[in-house]
Amino acid sequence: MKHVPLRGMAFLACSALLLAGCGGLGKMTKYAETIKYTVDPNPLIVQGDSVAVNIRGNFPGKYFYKKALVELTPAITYAGGETPLKMAGFQGEGAAGNYTVIPYESGKDFNYTDKVAYAPSMETSELMIKILGKQGKKEKPFDPVKIADGVITTPYLLKSDDKVIMAKDAFQRITQHSQDLQLNYNVASDVPVNGDMKDADVKAMQDFLKANAKNPNVVIKGVRIDAYASPEGEVDMNEGLANKRDKHAMRWLQAELGRNKLAKGDTLFASTSHGEDWDGFEREMKASNFADKDLVLRVLGMYPDVNKRESEIKNMAATYTEIRETILPKLRRSEVKLNYERVGKTDEQLTAMSRTMPDSLTIEELLFAATLTTDMNEQLRIYKEAERIFPTDYRGANNVGYIHFQQNRLAEAEAQFQKANSIQDNPISTNNLGACARLKGDRKKAMELYKKSTAAGPEVSYNMGIVHIQNGDYGSANSSFSGVNDFNSALAKLLSGDAAAAQRMLEASPDKDSAEGHYLMAICGARQNNGDMVRNNLALAVQKDAKLADKARKDLEFRTFKDNLGI
């Protein structure tokens, strides 16, 4: 038996110890490829301005030496730099530290998650794993390992087509009007009471007919006459009396129409003889200050028979005298309503007057005049006139802001929307301020303003959808875009994982034939593994916008087709 010197035995023991627990960094480095990584999603994808990294990993059995520590740091690398994520620490069973322990014999799975802010440089990038091994005072970097491509930037295809709202006019070219009068008659007669034909309402009717005798913008449409008798005397007599008063009113108005050479035929008139006016009697009694009016009203309710009712009221001698003098005269009447249309100014007149005499137009006419042209500068001029002439109506200020927004003059637009809201806090201008806030980068403020302005119309929900896409909340974006088929609604559907539905929405969209529309359709094809759809739509997209060719070659959406894009 060969004896090993004590010093030699110590050396062998130390070597064995190093091999088993404190000297394994070299072998861990050599066999680093046995560490398994699964990245979801792969490639990475930007969502809500950040890139999430989710890694499921495994250290195999008999790999992780007992005295070793490993610091694992994922990093998104790109030309000119990198963005590191948080470090994850692991250690062997015999190592001193607070990292996750990896058993030597069995190894262990691990999960890692982190996210970083997206930077444009990441569009062409890779997800690398960097490992620094430690054992005692010794440190050894492992070779970096690529574990994923990154980053898909499809959410940034979002179109900034925020919807600002113009405050509408209430202009009506043809408006309905009436000229009313009441003719009052003597008791048991169709002769007007003395002086009645000189009353203000009769004079107003005569003046109206005279003033508009030759006015083509006033068109008489018909006359309604309702004639009544007071509830006294025989019922049958009162029925006939009401009919006579009806005919008297008709003859009088026909004479006035004829005098002014206006249409006066019988077909113009519609009349009703109501007979005894008990409803009017009750109405006048309720409005009176009679001491016994409650008693009279009870009598009306107690006796449905009109003759009995009249008899009982007459028995109240003092009260009846008062009724006869103050109530009944008001019921002997004919009510005349002449209905006519007033035809407003023509488009040509409104356009000309908005230039030469804007102060003579109403606010509704001015706002409508602005819709008669597609020239934004002319629209702006008219809205400024409306703002000047009608400073207490928020619509002029709002619509000036609307035109500034369309002209990409954001600061001026925002100032006008604020002015409109200072005149009258309203949902239209509040929505428009939300659009300004989003374009300035303040999505939180934009959403707050949108929530206050939902009554303004469907544009508000659409604008919320844009913010939801930017925030990475694709479910809410789909809800906000409900019923809309356009580029952004299709994008939201695609980002939520339904490429087929996105395709259908885009096919029904007015954006389908744009360069951006074809590019998004190509992505729909890629996500459905339809190579022909990818190639055909990319060709059309590049035909309309040559810059999209370079973007497509770098776009990881097309990674499966990168050797056969057809562009």
Side-chain angles (χ1 to χ4, degrees):
M1 181 175 182
K2 185 175 180 180
H3 294 278
V4 179
L6 186 59
R7 188 162 39 184
M9 290 178 64
F11 173 79
L12 289 174
C14 183
S15 298
L17 181 63
L18 286 170
L19 182 61
C22 66
L25 285 182
K27 288 191 175 182
M28 289 179 71
T29 303
K30 181 178 180 181
Y31 295 107
E33 71 275 6
T34 62
I35 306 173
K36 302 302 181 185
Y37 307 95
T38 302
V39 181
D40 182 32
N42 184 7
L44 305 175
I45 185 166
V46 61
Q47 183 171 352
D49 291 329
S50 62
V51 180
V53 175
N54 300 292
I55 303 170
R56 296 192 307 275
N58 172 264
F59 290 106
K62 295 184 171 30
Y63 172 78
F64 213 108
Y65 284 81
K66 295 181 179 180
K67 296 290 185 179
L69 294 90
V70 163
E71 294 179 346
L72 183 151
T73 305
I76 300 174
T77 64
Y78 38 82
E82 66 177 29
T83 299
L85 288 88
K86 69 182 179 183
M87 181 272 292
F90 304 91
Q91 64 186 57
E93 296 168 299
N98 294 312
Y99 292 164
T100 300
V101 175
I102 306 298
Y104 175 75
E105 289 293 333
S106 63
K108 188 175 182 179
D109 293 337
F110 67 90
N111 291 297
Y112 174 96
T113 182
D114 193 18
K115 67 179 180 179
V116 292
Y118 173 75
S121 302
M122 295 178 185
E123 186 173 9
T124 304
S125 60
E126 297 175 334
L127 179 62
M128 305 294 293
I129 287 289
K130 297 185 176 184
I131 297 178
L132 178 64
K134 295 182 177 182
Q135 187 173 338
K137 294 182 179 181
K138 183 178 179 182
E139 293 186 356
K140 184 173 181 61
F142 293 20
D143 290 335
V145 178
K146 175 185 172 181
I147 62 171
D149 291 312
V151 174
I152 287 177
T153 59
T154 301
Y156 284 107
L157 293 178
L158 176 74
K159 291 180 68 173
S160 288
D161 58 354
D162 309 70
K163 310 298 184 187
V164 293
I165 305 173
M166 181 179 287
K168 294 181 175 57
D169 63 83
F171 175 75
Q172 290 182 294
R173 197 180 306 280
I174 298 176
T175 54
Q176 308 299 321
H177 305 269
S178 69
Q179 189 73 29
D180 303 336
L181 64 83
Q182 178 173 306
L183 298 178
N184 300 289
Y185 298 93
N186 291 311
V187 63
S189 171
D190 62 347
V191 176
V193 298
N194 188 37
D196 189 72
M197 302 307 291
K198 295 182 179 180
D199 279 358
D201 57 348
V202 175
K203 182 69 165 51
M205 177 71 79
Q206 293 170 327
D207 290 345
F208 170 80
L209 295 175
K210 182 177 180 181
N212 293 288
K214 296 182 180 180
N215 186 352
N217 292 330
V218 171
V219 180
I220 296 174
K221 304 300 292 183
V223 178
R224 174 75 196 175
I225 299 176
D226 290 280
Y228 301 86
S230 58
E232 55 188 317
E234 294 295 328
V235 173
D236 291 343
M237 183 192 75
N238 284 335
E239 292 288 345
L241 190 56
N243 186 53
K244 290 179 180 180
R245 290 168 178 169
D246 174 358
K247 288 182 167 46
H248 168 268
M250 180 176 174
R251 288 194 304 273
W252 176 83
L253 186 55
Q254 283 181 323
E256 292 296 323
L257 290 167
R259 185 176 296 112
N260 290 284
K261 298 182 179 180
L262 292 165
K264 60 178 181 176
D266 290 352
T267 56
L268 192 68
F269 291 80
S271 61
T272 302
S273 299
H274 296 275
E276 295 184 345
D277 187 12
W278 283 103
D279 290 338
F281 181 85
E282 183 177 9
R283 183 175 60 251
E284 292 294 336
M285 284 301 302
K286 286 180 179 179
S288 73
N289 295 317
F290 290 172
D292 294 330
K293 73 176 181 180
D294 290 339
L295 177 60
V296 174
L297 291 171
R298 280 198 300 273
V299 169
L300 289 178
M302 289 171 61
Y303 300 102
D305 181 84
V306 294
N307 292 316
K308 180 64 174 175
R309 184 188 299 168
E310 184 178 341
S311 174
E312 290 297 323
I313 292 173
K314 284 182 177 179
N315 289 335
M316 306 173 200
T319 298
Y320 184 73
T321 300
E322 198 172 5
I323 290 172
R324 186 179 59 209
E325 294 176 355
T326 60
I327 297 292
L328 297 179
K330 298 178 183 178
L331 306 180
R332 305 172 193 129
R333 71 198 190 281
S334 291
E335 295 176 350
V336 180
K337 180 183 288 290
L338 184 146
N339 298 306
Y340 65 96
E341 291 179 344
R342 189 175 292 278
V343 181
K345 302 174 183 68
T346 65
D347 290 354
E348 292 75 14
Q349 288 173 323
L350 290 169
T351 298
M353 292 174 71
S354 75
R355 297 191 185 103
T356 59
M357 45 194 307
D359 293 74
S360 66
L361 297 177
T362 68
I363 180 63
E364 307 304 341
E365 288 172 330
L366 271 173
L367 294 176
F368 179 74
T371 70
L372 299 176
T373 177
T374 57
D375 185 333
M376 280 193 181
N377 290 324
E378 180 65 5
Q379 289 177 335
L380 182 60
R381 182 193 66 77
I382 297 173
Y383 287 135
K384 284 184 175 180
E385 291 285 17
E387 184 181 23
R388 174 184 66 81
I389 300 167
F390 301 97
T392 60
D393 193 310
Y394 81 90
R395 291 177 295 175
N398 179 85
N399 292 1
V400 169
Y402 177 92
I403 299 299
H404 285 326
F405 190 94
Q406 304 305 320
Q407 295 174 330
N408 296 317
R409 297 156 66 179
L410 185 61
E412 292 166 270
E414 183 177 29
Q416 285 296 133
F417 298 143
Q418 289 171 342
K419 180 179 179 180
N421 254 354
S422 71
I423 295 170
Q424 178 184 331
D425 192 8
N426 70 92
I428 289 176
S429 303
T430 301
N431 167 79
N432 297 347
L433 285 169
C436 293
R438 193 202 72 83
L439 289 172
K440 290 168 65 178
D442 193 341
R443 301 201 298 260
K444 181 179 179 181
K445 180 179 179 182
M447 186 59 78
E448 290 173 353
L449 290 166
Y450 293 149
K451 288 179 178 178
K452 290 174 57 180
S453 57
T454 53
E459 296 89 348
V460 182
S461 181
Y462 184 90
N463 289 344
M464 286 181 172
I466 292 177
V467 176
H468 287 316
I469 287 181
Q470 287 191 295
N471 290 340
D473 185 355
Y474 305 132
S476 294
N478 285 322
S479 296
S480 293
F481 290 135
S482 178
V484 175
N485 290 317
D486 73 350
F487 183 93
N488 282 342
S489 63
L491 176 63
K493 189 65 71 174
L494 177 77
L495 294 173
S496 63
D498 195 342
Q503 177 185 344
R504 291 192 296 271
M505 294 174 76
L506 200 54
E507 287 171 343
S509 162
D511 301 302
K512 66 180 180 180
D513 292 324
S514 66
E516 297 82 1
H518 285 300
Y519 193 91
L520 185 61
M521 190 69 82
I523 295 176
C524 292
R527 293 202 180 187
Q528 297 177 82
N529 199 32
N530 186 331
D532 288 340
M533 189 173 168
V534 172
R535 287 183 289 273
N536 292 340
N537 280 282
L538 281 182
L540 291 168
V542 171
Q543 188 178 61
K544 293 175 182 289
D545 185 352
K547 296 190 295 296
L548 291 176
D550 185 58
K551 177 176 177 60
R553 294 186 189 102
K554 298 175 182 177
D555 196 332
L556 291 172
E557 292 279 11
F558 306 122
R559 61 195 179 280
T560 306
F561 307 93
K562 65 180 180 179
D563 297 326
N564 192 20
L565 291 178
I567 54 174

